[in-house]
């Protein structure tokens, strides 16, 4: 799959780990940065990854900030994005199986490297189950076209 990766300045090392796991699994990875020492506000890169995934330029996105929350919220503002902010393997797995999450957000100040690698590996190797979950994901997608 084509995977796009980005973070803010608080999560550069974690983002590089996330990109490495995706590459080790054989995916085509594009890393949007930032470089170490470069400051980037998390809404900028959250929205950037969201727009690229929603447009179909990439299949999935991996994002990170200090908590994963700011960048995850930002990605979720983009219609078509279902970003899962995770700090455990179970949630990451279920976010794929039931919610068809298309972006994974992690927090560099929340998860250690070993857990983060396992979360990313689990998320990238788990399929959406469809079936009864497809109708619910459809209901989520309808919210993209509603105001309030
Ligand atoms: C940056 O210091 C921090 O606020 C950011 O990385 C993130 O945790 C926000 O949700």
């Amino acid at each position: 799959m084509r995977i796009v990766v980005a973070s803010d300045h608080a999560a550069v090392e974690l983002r590089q780990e996330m990109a490495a796991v995706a590459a080790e699994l054989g995916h085509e990875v594009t890393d949007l940065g930032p470089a170490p020492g470069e400051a980037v506000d998390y809404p900028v890169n959250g929205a950037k990854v969201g727009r690229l995934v929603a447009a179909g330029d990439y299949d999935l996105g991996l994002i990170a900030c200090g908590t994963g929350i700011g960048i995850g919220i930002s990605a979720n503002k983009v219609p078509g994005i279902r970003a899962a902010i995770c700090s455990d393997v179970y949630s990451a797995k279920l976010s794929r199986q039931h919610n068809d999450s298309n972006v994974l957000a992690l927090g560099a100040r929340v998860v250690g490297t070993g857990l983060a690698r396992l979360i990313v590996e689990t998320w990238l190797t788990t399929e959406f189950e469809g079936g009864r979950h497809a109708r619910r994901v459809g209901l989520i997608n309808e919210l993209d076209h509603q105001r309030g």
Side-chain angles (χ1 to χ4, degrees):
M1 284 188 284
R2 297 157 305 156
I3 305 210
V4 60
V5 185
S7 69
D8 73 356
H9 46 271
V12 171
E13 283 181 23
L14 174 62
R15 183 200 80 236
Q16 289 169 338
E17 283 294 336
M18 295 166 82
V21 173
E24 286 161 19
L25 289 171
H27 297 294
E28 187 184 314
V29 179
T30 300
D31 189 342
L32 302 181
E38 182 190 351
V40 174
D41 291 325
Y42 59 80
V44 173
N45 273 355
K48 199 176 276 183
V49 166
R51 289 186 185 117
L52 288 166
V53 172
D57 293 350
Y58 293 91
D59 301 301
L60 296 173
L62 296 171
I63 54 178
C65 66
T67 59
I69 295 172
I71 200 161
I73 290 172
S74 304
N76 273 321
K77 293 288 181 186
V78 178
I81 293 306
R82 293 175 301 282
I85 303 166
C86 295
S87 52
D88 68 278
V89 173
Y90 179 79
S91 300
K93 190 176 186 73
L94 270 286
S95 82
R96 288 287 304 131
Q97 289 179 331
H98 290 191
N99 315 119
D100 198 17
S101 59
N102 49 14
V103 172
L104 173 68
L106 300 186
R109 298 170 186 158
V110 181
V111 292
T113 304
L115 177 57
R117 290 185 65 94
L118 200 55
I119 291 173
V120 173
E121 184 184 328
T122 301
W123 190 75
L124 287 174
T125 55
T126 303
E127 303 267 332
F128 178 49
E129 284 180 355
R132 70 185 193 280
H133 304 295
R135 186 181 62 81
R136 293 166 184 156
V137 171
L139 291 172
I140 294 175
N141 292 339
E142 281 180 23
L143 296 173
D144 287 336
H145 309 292
Q146 296 170 14
R147 289 267 179 268

